[in-house]
Amino acid sequence: MSLDAKRYLGHFDSGGSFLILSMSFLFFSGEICAFKIYGQDAPFEAVVLNRTSGEGVLRASGPVDCEIQKEYTFIIQAYDCGAGPSGADWKKSHKAVVHIQVDDVNEFCPVFREPLYKASVTEGKIYDSILQVEAWDQDCSPQYSQICNYEIVTAGTPFAIDRNGNIRNTERLSYDKQQSYMIMVTAFDCGQKRAKEDVAVHIDVKPVCKPGWQGWNKRVDYEPGTGSRQLFPKMHLETCGGPLSGVKAMVELQTNHIGKGCDRETYSEKSLQKLCGAASGSTDLLPAPSPSTNWTASLLTDSGRDSDLIYRFDGRQAANVPDHVVPQNLTDQFTIATWMKHGPSPGLRAEKETLLCNSDKTEMNRHHYSLYVHNCRLVFLLRRDFTQVDTFRPAEFHWKLEQICDKEWHYYVINVEFPAVTLFVDGVTYEPYLVTDDWPIHSSKIDTQLTVGACWQGQERQNSSNCTHVQTGAPYFHGSLSGLTIRPGRIETQKVISCLQACKEGLDINSLESLAKDIKFHFNPAQSVLVVDGEDVDSINTAMTKVSYINSRQFPTAGLRRLHITTTVQCFGEDTCLSIPDIKAVVMVLPPSEPRITISGSNRLVRPAGDLRAPLGVAPFKELHITSTVMKGDGFGGCVMEVMHNLDYCDVLVIGDELNPERESLEIHHSALLGKHLDATNSTSGISIYGVDSMAHYEQALRQVRYRNWRPATLSERKFRLTCSELNGRYTSNEFNLEVGVMFHPAPFSTLSLLLSSSSAPPAATVVIVVCIAALVVIVVIGVYRIHATHQEGSREDEDGGKEPEEDWDNSALTITVNPMENIKGAQALDEEVKEEGQEQEEEEEEEEEQVGGMTSTESDNSDEDEEEEEEDEREKVKERMQKGKLEWDSSSVTY
């Protein structure tokens, strides 16, 4: 027998167990009883349907799953029923190959491979594909296992997706409009079965990559007294991925609008010079207007901030310095210094602009020395007298500098060591580029005039009646000046010049040791410009985060300081490859806590007349105390804290009539200022102590101010007012008022009038009278001594000039009346009291003698020495008379 085919093909539905293949056999005898399958684990069985016809069926013996196995191949044979009942003689057919394919059923939903998709795009671009999402299906057939479509579920988004899962934007995105998008996407297989769960897609919109600095703040607040403050702690440079070979960044602190170019100490010029150790003897040619310095009263002032004294010249003003102020002894060595702000002169051909000029006052226009600006060149003219030199000598020194016309503040110092002249600008030395010679000028008796802001021209003009002199001032200066001084006989040192113009604020770098080795940095002298250079971007970023601002003033000038950063980037093989935008930021210096300076002490001082007449007088401010406090925090939760700071002057003003030099003085000994940065001047209006020094030193000096009045009888009261200042009047103390009064001892005659109140005595009281007389003699001795001393004092005052006469006492008519009933013990006690009072007077006079050794030379003049000798002789005479216990009296005038 044989099968009707050698190979059978069939299809079986996935998961089914039914007939998928029918077979028929040809046989020649007997019947077909069975089919046998050969194959490993083939989940099928063959069943005979008709033995006679040999028809059978192939069916699954269990579930068939396409996702597990898509097809099967095995061998089948047919067996006949054989001859014997046991089938031992069965005959087999030849073998046939059966191939079964399992049909798929769409039973699974698509599944996305990622739970979340993320992407980023740059604004302003249209992308063909931002990202691709992907889903898959577990079905085994291509029809059901393939993903045929994707769809964006979220409505109203500027995105689209194709059948391959590629998402693109349909319009240009804007970072300013929306920084990110979240959309939902689903998938469909080819049987249109949808994904069970949609997937989320997060798309970030980035701004267009622009090379530049990022992570910096436009404003940085600076709290006074906090030291160094980082300006850009999180700043970094974005280069958009380009390879770089070097980066150079320049940080500039712009403080031109603060004071004279930056935050400097605003003490007076004299105080600053003393603070910096400058040589004494300089003359301030532009002082603050006052009754004694009134030549600057007509000038325009631009005080700016914090008591800076700035004079502005607009081409129409000038100041003639009085003759008594002008230094007359300029030698081969002297110094001229000034702050100047000046811009380009208007017009094509600029005129000379004179800062300082010493010229003939009348008849001629000779310029002895002058300092002027011409076409942005600084020129110093110095004409020597013919009596000093008689040869062709250097006369004009020219400097051409950018600083002269940059409209910024600069500090100019001209050191003259004739014939050499050196210019310092902001502490940097500049030699003249041109020196011209001239003949010396002939000496004459014509007076000279020193003028600031112009040059005095004495022109002679003849009119119809007589010869008159017309003085004009030209050419005028356009700009601003401050602190114009001239110091004859000495030149200023580099150290002092640097101190006088030093800025108290600037840029700084924290933690230099943490910088990379390839980093190079450089400061300008004022520390207002910092250049950082490096090869690596990360190193530059680290260095820039260390850049800081610092202000060392205890009370800095509040307000904005501008920051400007410029950056240059180099690429390999190119000079520049990226354009980095400049940065403009500000440092806001917050207002400092204003100190409250308080002067306290006794407001009234009453001293005996002898103390006021003493060589040293009295110390009115001996109990003086100076303190300063600031408020920390707000008005509710704040607290008052005591602080220590400097003062720059204290003025003691006389209230009421000025001091009369013929009988009183207010002064301080030079020794009281030794070891301190202090100096003092006094006049009939009071005394001024000035210099930058601590409050403690000012307190010590003020306690040693002495007031003396050698005619205290004419003094009813003397009032003084004390005020102190910090930073040239920016902070001032309270007004401390003090009154000095005189305490006179009672006259001895008032005591006598009490004792001698009776004109007669009974005879029985003779003994009592004798004792009383003895006591009264002692009293009279003391009284006469005082009268005599007062008379001698009046005589000496008449010799000194303008003394008031003391009251004359005629003791020739003295009548002593004794009450005989007076207690003897009372008289004896009074005797002892008088003796003690005399001893106290001697001790006071001895103390005055000891204090004479500490007087100044002006106090210990010849008249004072003569007076001291006379007083000493008088005291010796009184002692001898007191020891003898008797004086000469006219007994005829005494009535018992």
Side-chain angles (χ1 to χ4, degrees):
M1 65 180 179
S2 64
L3 291 172
D4 63 355
K6 292 184 178 180
R7 182 179 181 88
Y8 288 88
L9 298 175
H11 293 274
F12 208 105
D13 287 337
S14 177
S17 58
F18 46 85
L19 174 67
I20 62 169
L21 180 64
S22 63
M23 300 170 293
S24 63
F25 297 88
L26 299 176
F27 58 91
F28 301 96
S29 62
E31 297 176 346
I32 298 301
C33 288
F35 296 101
K36 189 174 181 180
I37 297 175
Y38 297 92
Q40 296 180 353
D41 301 329
F44 301 99
E45 60 182 2
V47 179
V48 178
L49 296 179
N50 191 328
R51 289 186 178 187
T52 301
S53 63
E55 185 178 359
V57 66
L58 186 65
R59 63 186 182 188
S61 60
V64 178
D65 194 342
C66 178
E67 284 72 34
I68 298 176
Q69 190 167 342
K70 293 183 178 181
E71 60 184 20
Y72 297 89
T73 302
F74 52 88
I75 298 172
I76 190 172
Q77 279 183 322
Y79 291 83
D80 61 9
C81 294
S86 61
D89 296 329
W90 283 2
K91 299 296 183 180
K92 296 183 292 184
S93 69
H94 68 275
K95 295 180 180 179
V97 177
V98 179
H99 184 76
I100 304 295
Q101 291 182 345
V102 181
D103 292 333
D104 188 20
V105 176
N106 193 3
E107 57 184 317
F108 293 101
C109 297
V111 176
F112 286 95
R113 294 188 181 277
E114 300 293 338
L116 175 66
Y117 289 88
K118 293 182 178 181
S120 61
V121 296
T122 302
E123 64 174 343
K125 293 180 61 177
I126 296 294
Y127 289 82
D128 294 333
S129 177
I130 297 174
L131 79 161
Q132 183 182 24
V133 297
E134 184 180 2
W136 65 287
D137 197 314
Q138 296 184 37
D139 292 318
C140 64
S141 65
Q143 180 181 4
Y144 301 130
S145 64
Q146 291 182 0
I147 306 299
C148 287
N149 192 24
Y150 291 93
E151 184 179 317
I152 295 177
V153 179
T154 305
T157 62
F159 299 97
I161 190 169
D162 61 16
R163 63 184 303 169
N164 294 321
N166 293 306
I167 299 177
R168 61 183 177 85
N169 57 320
T170 58
E171 62 183 48
R172 300 181 188 277
L173 305 179
S174 172
Y175 177 81
D176 295 333
K177 181 179 179 180
Q178 189 168 342
Q179 289 79 38
S180 63
Y181 294 86
M182 179 71 74
I183 60 176
M184 302 301 295
V185 176
T186 191
F188 296 89
D189 62 16
C190 292
Q192 294 303 306
K193 196 163 190 175
R194 180 176 174 171
K196 186 176 181 180
E197 293 183 357
D198 300 334
V199 71
V201 180
H202 186 86
I203 300 176
D204 289 326
V205 181
K206 291 185 176 180
V208 176
C209 183
K210 298 177 182 178
W213 293 101
Q214 298 181 2
W216 54 277
N217 295 324
K218 293 184 178 180
R219 168 173 166 164
V220 179
D221 289 343
Y222 181 80
E223 181 74 27
T226 56
S228 184
R229 170 70 188 275
Q230 284 181 272
L231 297 175
F232 317 108
K234 297 181 180 180
M235 188 168 73
H236 63 278
L237 181 62
E238 175 61 59
T239 61
C240 296
L244 306 178
S245 61
V247 179
K248 178 183 290 186
M250 183 176 70
V251 185
E252 182 181 4
L253 179 67
Q254 298 175 345
T255 58
N256 302 328
H257 61 291
I258 302 296
K260 295 191 288 287
C262 70
D263 208 1
R264 294 181 170 94
E265 296 293 3
T266 56
Y267 297 114
S268 66
E269 199 64 30
K270 282 188 177 181
S271 297
L272 282 175
Q273 289 178 359
K274 195 168 186 66
L275 182 66
C276 292
S280 60
S282 66
T283 300
D284 189 357
L285 301 181
L286 287 176
S290 69
S292 60
T293 57
N294 58 1
W295 69 88
T296 60
S298 62
L299 299 179
L300 300 176
T301 59
D302 183 10
S303 298
R305 299 187 179 186
D306 300 341
S307 305
D308 271 350
L309 185 60
I310 296 172
Y311 289 96
R312 180 166 51 88
F313 296 83
D314 61 358
R316 294 190 296 266
Q317 294 87 17
N320 292 325
V321 182
D323 294 340
H324 70 276
V325 178
V326 179
Q328 302 295 332
N329 56 343
L330 289 183
T331 61
D332 288 345
Q333 286 189 343
F334 62 92
T335 299
I336 297 176
T338 185
W339 286 95
M340 181 179 74
K341 182 169 74 171
H342 180 264
S345 301
L348 297 178
R349 183 175 180 84
E351 300 292 337
K352 292 182 179 180
E353 301 177 54
T354 304
L355 284 76
L356 180 68
C357 180
N358 183 266
S359 59
D360 290 335
K361 185 175 292 188
T362 58
E363 299 183 16
M364 291 187 287
N365 293 330
R366 297 179 305 172
H367 296 179
H368 297 263
Y369 61 88
S370 66
L371 180 64
Y372 63 90
V373 174
H374 187 210
N375 289 328
C376 293
R377 291 167 173 80
L378 187 67
V379 183
F380 177 65
L381 170 68
L382 179 62
R383 300 287 302 279
R384 312 299 294 173
D385 290 340
F386 195 88
T387 57
Q388 295 174 319
V389 289
D390 55 359
T391 59
F392 215 49
R393 301 300 298 271
E396 275 192 343
F397 304 83
H398 299 250
W399 294 271
K400 184 178 180 181
L401 304 173
E402 295 179 356
Q403 295 93 320
I404 297 174
C405 288
D406 64 358
K407 298 182 180 179
E408 306 292 347
W409 279 106
H410 299 284
Y411 187 58
Y412 298 83
V413 177
I414 295 179
N415 273 348
V416 178
E417 287 184 292
F418 195 80
V421 176
T422 304
L423 172 67
F424 293 85
V425 181
D426 298 332
V428 180
T429 307
Y430 295 93
E431 297 296 332
Y433 80 94
L434 175 64
V435 178
T436 59
D437 296 339
D438 201 349
W439 289 103
I441 58 178
H442 292 274
S443 61
S444 67
K445 297 182 179 180
I446 302 175
D447 294 332
T448 60
Q449 175 64 59
L450 183 62
T451 305
V452 178
C455 199
W456 184 268
Q457 296 180 355
Q459 299 177 347
E460 186 175 50
R461 185 176 64 187
Q462 183 77 29
N463 61 12
S464 58
S465 59
N466 56 2
C467 182
T468 61
H469 298 290
V470 179
Q471 290 83 20
T472 61
Y476 288 97
F477 178 68
H478 294 77
S480 298
L481 298 176
S482 179
L484 177 59
T485 61
I486 184 169
R487 176 182 288 106
R490 299 189 64 173
I491 62 172
E492 207 58 272
T493 65
Q494 174 85 45
K495 181 179 179 181
V496 172
I497 294 173
S498 299
C499 175
L500 290 172
Q501 62 90 35
C503 289
K504 295 299 181 179
E505 63 180 340
L507 298 173
D508 193 15
I509 291 185
N510 291 336
S511 304
L512 292 176
E513 64 278 0
S514 64
L515 298 181
K517 295 182 179 179
D518 66 314
I519 293 295
K520 300 177 183 178
F521 63 92
H522 172 71
F523 287 99
N524 69 333
Q527 284 195 226
S528 60
V529 177
L530 167 64
V531 178
V532 181
D533 194 352
E535 301 175 357
D536 182 66
V537 175
D538 292 337
S539 299
I540 287 288
N541 290 339
T542 302
M544 293 298 288
T545 61
K546 305 295 183 182
V547 177
S548 304
Y549 169 82
I550 187 171
N551 194 317
S552 60
R553 292 188 67 190
Q554 188 174 9
F555 305 107
T557 303
L560 293 177
R561 274 74 164 165
R562 294 178 178 87
L563 290 168
H564 187 204
I565 301 179
T566 56
T567 309
T568 303
V569 176
Q570 293 181 341
C571 295
F572 293 97
E574 301 180 28
D575 293 337
T576 58
C577 56
L578 293 178
S579 178
I580 306 298
D582 292 352
I583 284 181
K584 293 184 178 180
V586 295
V587 177
M588 174 59 78
V589 178
L590 303 178
S593 299
E594 295 190 0
R596 182 178 181 182
I597 306 171
T598 304
I599 303 175
S600 60
S602 176
N603 295 98
R604 180 170 177 81
L605 178 70
V606 179
R607 288 291 184 269
D611 291 354
L612 294 174
R613 285 194 301 265
L616 291 181
V618 297
F621 305 103
K622 193 172 184 180
E623 300 179 359
L624 181 75
H625 294 281
I626 304 177
T627 59
S628 182
T629 57
V630 295
M631 174 67 73
K632 292 294 184 180
D634 54 32
F636 297 99
C639 61
V640 178
M641 297 178 58
E642 185 171 350
V643 294
M644 302 299 296
H645 56 78
N646 291 329
L647 300 176
D648 57 354
Y649 68 81
C650 286
D651 290 338
V652 180
L653 301 178
V654 177
I655 306 301
D657 296 337
E658 293 187 356
L659 297 175
N660 187 342
E662 295 182 356
R663 60 172 179 262
E664 57 184 339
S665 65
L666 182 70
E667 53 195 358
I668 183 172
H669 195 277
H670 178 70
S671 61
L673 306 178
L674 294 178
K676 305 176 179 67
H677 294 99
L678 298 178
D679 207 341
T681 58
N682 66 338
S683 66
T684 57
S685 300
I687 187 170
S688 177
I689 303 174
Y690 61 91
V692 182
D693 212 332
S694 64
M695 292 187 297
H697 279 179
Y698 266 93
E699 191 176 89
Q700 294 171 10
L702 288 168
R703 289 178 178 179
Q704 299 185 61
V705 172
R706 314 294 296 190
Y707 172 70
R708 186 187 178 204
N709 191 316
W710 45 92
R711 290 176 59 187
T714 62
L715 178 67
S716 58
E717 62 180 18
R718 174 58 76 187
K719 295 181 180 180
F720 301 100
R721 177 174 297 162
L722 170 63
T723 57
C724 293
S725 158
E726 164 66 335
L727 297 176
N728 201 22
R730 179 179 174 185
Y731 305 116
T732 56
S733 70
N734 62 308
E735 294 182 348
F736 179 76
N737 296 312
L738 174 68
E739 181 179 341
V740 177
V742 184
M743 179 177 64
F744 294 97
H745 288 294
F749 309 107
S750 61
T751 304
L752 288 174
S753 63
L754 294 175
L755 296 175
L756 307 179
S757 59
S758 178
S759 59
S760 61
T766 303
V767 178
V768 176
I769 293 174
V770 172
V771 176
C772 291
I773 290 175
L776 291 174
V777 167
V778 176
I779 296 173
V780 173
V781 169
I782 299 300
V784 172
Y785 159 69
R786 290 189 175 180
I787 295 172
H788 183 71
T790 303
H791 181 69
Q792 293 293 332
E793 180 71 16
S795 300
R796 286 193 297 270
E797 290 177 356
D798 292 336
E799 293 174 0
D800 292 339
K803 274 73 175 181
E804 286 187 356
E806 294 287 341
E807 294 181 2
D808 294 330
W809 188 267
D810 183 10
N811 58 2
S812 61
L814 176 65
T815 301
I816 301 176
T817 304
V818 180
N819 185 355
M821 302 306 296
E822 196 70 34
N823 193 323
I824 298 177
K825 292 183 179 181
Q828 293 177 345
L830 182 61
D831 185 21
E832 294 295 327
E833 180 179 349
V834 173
K835 290 182 179 180
E836 290 176 0
E837 183 176 346
Q839 292 175 359
E840 290 176 0
Q841 180 70 21
E842 291 178 4
E843 291 175 358
E844 290 178 1
E845 293 171 351
E846 290 174 359
E847 288 177 0
E848 292 179 2
E849 291 177 10
E850 294 174 357
Q851 292 175 352
V852 171
M855 290 193 304
T856 63
S857 58
T858 58
E859 293 173 332
S860 54
D861 53 13
N862 295 333
S863 62
D864 289 337
E865 292 176 358
D866 295 338
E867 182 179 351
E868 181 182 354
E869 293 175 358
E870 292 176 2
E871 291 178 353
E872 181 65 22
D873 294 339
E874 186 65 28
R875 282 194 292 269
E876 292 296 329
K877 293 178 181 179
V878 172
K879 289 180 180 179
E880 293 176 359
R881 289 194 296 267
M882 291 182 65
Q883 291 175 357
K884 293 179 180 179
K886 57 183 179 180
L887 288 175
E888 295 182 359
W889 291 86
D890 185 3
S891 57
S892 61
S893 62
V894 179
T895 304
Y896 294 95

